[in-house]
Amino acid sequence: MMHRSVLKPAAVALLALLLTFAAWWWPNRPVALPNPYDGVIESVSFAPFRGTQSPLTGNFPSEADIATALDALIGKAAGVRTYTALEGMQAVPELAKARGLKVFAGAWLGPLPRVNQNEIASLIDLANRFPGTIERVLVGNEVLLRKDLPVEKLIEHIRTVKAAVKQPVTYADVWEFWLRNPQLAGEVDFITIHILPYWEDFPLPVEVGNGHVAHILDEVRKAFPDKPVVIGEIGWPSHGRDREKAVPGRVQLATFITNFLNKARAEGIRYNVIEAFDQPWKSGQEGTVGANWGLFDENWQPKFDLSGPVVELPQWKLGFAAGALLILVVTAMRRERIAGYSPARLIAGGALLALAAYAGSRAGLEAWLFAYMPGPELWAAVKAAIAIGLALTFAATCFRLLSDDPRLPAGGWTVVGGQLLLLLATVLGFALGLLLVVGVTDDILVPILPQGTVSLLWPLLPVDGRYRDFPTVYVGLAALAPLVVALLAAWTGRDRFLDRLAFGRVFGTVRAGRPKGRGWVAGLAAAGFVAQAVALIAIETPDNVEAWYWAACLALFALPLAASVRRQWIE
């Protein structure tokens, strides 16, 4: 008996560990780059914010921060592009000069005249004091895209700077806005365009991204044959949500950038990569994807070597360790039940435990790595706690159902905790799914809020869905659990499939009965989930694979609600 009580739990734990390891390792294997790059990057966007620093709150980097950030770029970039001539960035030219770095200096223009005047004055002063370090001067960034100024006022600012400095002067915006405002070309010494295939109106995958860059360069050069064209921003996000066929990722970022860098070197393209460092503060406006465009992470460590290979998620071993801990805890707690399993049920137990361990550990690691600022961190912790709690209750329920002993009770904490967590996850899934398809754009809501509250309240704001992550990692197991538990209950002869599937008794002991009442709330909720799934695919297009995963979760959420319309549940 003792021999069996040790070997069978060990077998389940070993199988679960192997499957969980495979789930973490397989997508994070080192990937060789198809076109590695062995040179120095011409220029990178430089905004040395980290931790809780944010221009939205006025918490700017110190001069020591700026110096440390510039040190990280030595040998990797030949220069930096700045976006403001104030906010402490006045120190950049002198610090860059001491490190042999060139500066593409910019002034941030917005709707406030006094701020614009101060920006212009500081830019002129810096350009004249550091003529050997500041090679190019940039007056405004995406002002027309944001609709902060009319083109006539922008031209006035450009003329003011041109009359006061000796360096070549330009303005930077998304390439379409140059074609829409051709009069700008006569005011600048060269044209600076932004080409970001991920953010295009029709997003493009990495595989065709550089073909798109070549096409846009050709279009702009044809429109302005007498002006040099420089790419002021080009890059790819390393984490976040998919946009149609555009998929973020470290491997995708490394592939896109190295392909472009080799192309730029071969064809003599002048460029600036966005950006040097990940920007946690941007998550308050642009979600996870907005914070993850850096070649360096938020701690200013390189994400990968340009010569490769690249690992998608270098911290995956931490995730596996968390999953392994969950596996060992659950098997130790359920070892007596596992001792009576047949071989088939041992395999089922190991596979289901691996599912729970991976889902829980993935949610935990996602929350730890990719939540930024106090509000999002708290929100991620709540979602992760729900996911991990569901993983534990799901595993406990599966081990009970796999036992042949009819005397085994459901267990108080499993029933109460499981049903509560499933309810929370279902509500969470509905709310987050709704925000992906029905949102008030951030152009309407965010500007009326105090700037300091944006990062704190962002998780609760119904902003533009393109900035929202698909919450599959947090509630995917909650969507799948009722179906898996119902199938397992039917397979083991515990309950009929529909009896167990119905919402409200997934984790408990059930018997079938005639429904009381009309069940209209559950029916409407089920219809709402299905409607969200259909709307999501229509909005995101069928090309978005991640959207299909989330749509599948929405459909799975509808199943127990639909089943509960037909059944009544009692202990």
Side-chain angles (χ1 to χ4, degrees):
M1 181 70 67
M2 184 178 297
H3 182 67
R4 184 178 67 175
S5 66
V6 172
L7 285 183
K8 288 190 175 183
V12 168
L14 180 59
L15 176 59
L17 287 168
L18 290 173
L19 291 175
T20 304
F21 177 83
W24 276 109
W25 168 77
W26 181 257
N28 295 300
R29 307 180 318 280
V31 176
L33 293 174
N35 198 14
Y37 182 73
D38 60 359
V40 175
I41 299 171
E42 179 180 342
S43 176
V44 290
S45 295
F46 184 72
F49 294 91
R50 62 177 173 180
T52 58
Q53 293 174 343
S54 169
L56 301 178
T57 60
N59 183 6
F60 303 119
S62 67
E63 186 170 326
D65 291 330
I66 295 172
T68 302
L70 290 172
D71 286 339
L73 299 176
I74 295 175
K76 295 180 172 61
V80 296
R81 174 188 168 181
T82 60
Y83 288 76
T84 175
L86 299 173
E87 300 177 356
M89 298 300 283
Q90 303 95 313
V92 171
E94 183 174 0
L95 294 172
K97 178 181 179 180
R99 290 158 175 80
L101 298 172
K102 298 299 182 180
V103 177
F104 185 4
W108 186 265
L109 300 183
L112 301 177
R114 178 65 62 85
V115 175
N116 292 344
Q117 292 172 6
N118 292 337
E119 284 276 357
I120 293 296
S122 181
L123 178 65
I124 292 172
D125 173 64
L126 292 172
N128 289 330
R129 284 198 292 127
F130 299 96
T133 299
I134 297 178
E135 289 191 330
R136 298 171 287 178
V137 173
L138 192 154
V139 184
N141 179 73
E142 296 185 351
V143 176
L144 301 179
L145 172 66
R146 297 191 307 274
K147 302 178 183 178
D148 281 350
L149 293 173
V151 66
E152 295 78 14
K153 190 63 178 178
L154 174 61
I155 288 174
E156 288 183 21
H157 289 307
I158 293 172
R159 289 175 177 174
T160 298
V161 174
K162 281 196 69 175
V165 304
K166 297 180 180 180
Q167 294 94 332
V169 176
T170 187
Y171 162 71
D173 212 323
V174 178
W175 60 273
E176 295 103 319
F177 286 86
W178 281 98
L179 301 181
R180 297 175 191 173
N181 300 276
Q183 66 270 37
L184 275 174
E187 306 293 336
V188 298
D189 296 306
F190 62 99
I191 292 169
T192 301
I193 60 174
H194 296 170
I195 309 178
L196 302 170
Y198 174 88
W199 280 129
E200 292 283 4
D201 291 337
F202 300 97
L204 299 169
V206 163
E207 294 77 16
V208 301
N210 277 286
H212 175 69
V213 171
H215 171 71
I216 295 304
L217 277 174
D218 186 57
E219 288 292 312
V220 176
R221 285 167 175 167
K222 285 181 180 178
F224 308 107
D226 298 327
K227 294 288 181 178
V229 178
V230 173
I231 298 178
E233 287 184 359
I234 188 164
W236 198 270
S238 62
H239 194 75
R241 55 110 74 207
D242 293 2
R243 295 192 71 235
E244 298 183 17
K245 290 185 177 181
V247 180
R250 286 195 185 217
V251 173
Q252 285 82 0
L253 165 60
T255 300
F256 178 79
I257 286 297
T258 52
N259 284 345
F260 171 76
L261 292 177
N262 281 290
K263 175 183 176 65
R265 181 166 57 184
E267 300 178 11
I269 300 171
R270 301 298 303 275
Y271 66 89
N272 172 79
V273 172
I274 183 167
E275 53 196 327
F277 312 112
D278 281 348
Q279 298 294 294
W281 66 272
K282 286 187 178 180
S283 64
Q285 294 180 316
E286 300 176 8
T288 302
V289 74
N292 285 277
W293 286 74
L295 298 176
F296 292 68
D297 63 23
E298 62 176 313
N299 298 313
W300 301 350
Q301 299 300 311
K303 291 181 179 177
F304 48 79
D305 192 312
L306 293 173
S307 62
V310 180
V311 175
E312 184 62 46
L313 188 63
Q315 303 92 338
W316 70 268
K317 293 179 182 178
L318 294 176
F320 170 67
L325 179 61
L326 188 149
I327 288 169
L328 296 176
V329 168
V330 172
T331 51
M333 293 177 61
R334 294 292 181 263
R335 63 186 182 277
E336 294 182 1
R337 294 185 178 183
I338 297 172
Y341 288 179
S342 66
R345 296 193 182 194
L346 288 174
I347 294 173
L352 293 170
L353 182 54
L355 173 62
Y358 179 72
S361 60
R362 176 69 186 275
L365 191 65
E366 187 85 8
W368 182 52
L369 293 178
F370 301 110
Y372 311 101
M373 318 306 284
E377 286 175 349
L378 177 60
W379 184 238
V382 170
K383 293 186 293 184
I386 292 173
I388 295 169
L390 266 170
L392 288 168
T393 54
F394 171 77
T397 299
C398 288
F399 280 127
R400 178 174 58 83
L401 292 174
L402 286 168
S403 174
D404 285 323
D405 188 349
R407 299 169 299 174
L408 289 175
W413 73 268
T414 303
V415 175
V416 176
Q419 306 295 20
L420 176 60
L421 290 170
L422 185 59
L423 174 62
L424 291 174
T426 302
V427 173
L428 185 65
F430 192 92
L432 294 179
L434 191 64
L435 292 176
L436 282 165
V437 297
V438 182
V440 178
T441 66
D442 52 350
D443 292 334
I444 297 173
L445 189 56
V446 171
I448 68 175
L449 297 171
Q451 287 290 315
T453 67
V454 173
S455 293
L456 183 63
L457 296 180
W458 180 84
L460 305 177
L461 299 180
V463 298
D464 193 332
R466 64 179 173 162
Y467 299 133
R468 288 282 179 188
D469 294 341
F470 293 100
T472 313
V473 68
Y474 293 110
V475 297
L477 182 61
L480 189 61
L483 179 62
V484 173
V485 170
L487 289 171
L488 189 60
W491 178 55
T492 58
R494 289 280 183 161
D495 303 291
R496 292 182 303 176
F497 174 73
L498 282 176
D499 293 346
R500 175 63 69 167
L501 178 64
F503 191 86
R505 287 296 184 268
V506 172
F507 295 101
T509 302
V510 304
R511 69 175 177 84
R514 299 293 298 176
K516 292 182 179 180
R518 290 169 293 180
W520 59 271
V521 175
L524 285 176
F529 274 117
V530 173
Q532 283 186 25
V534 174
L536 179 71
I537 298 303
I539 293 171
E540 296 290 338
T541 79
D543 290 330
N544 192 327
V545 175
E546 190 179 14
W548 279 106
Y549 289 150
W550 178 237
C553 288
L554 293 171
L556 288 171
F557 271 123
L559 288 179
L561 292 165
S564 67
V565 175
R566 300 182 54 194
R567 293 283 185 256
Q568 172 197 3
W569 308 100
I570 61 172
E571 284 294 324

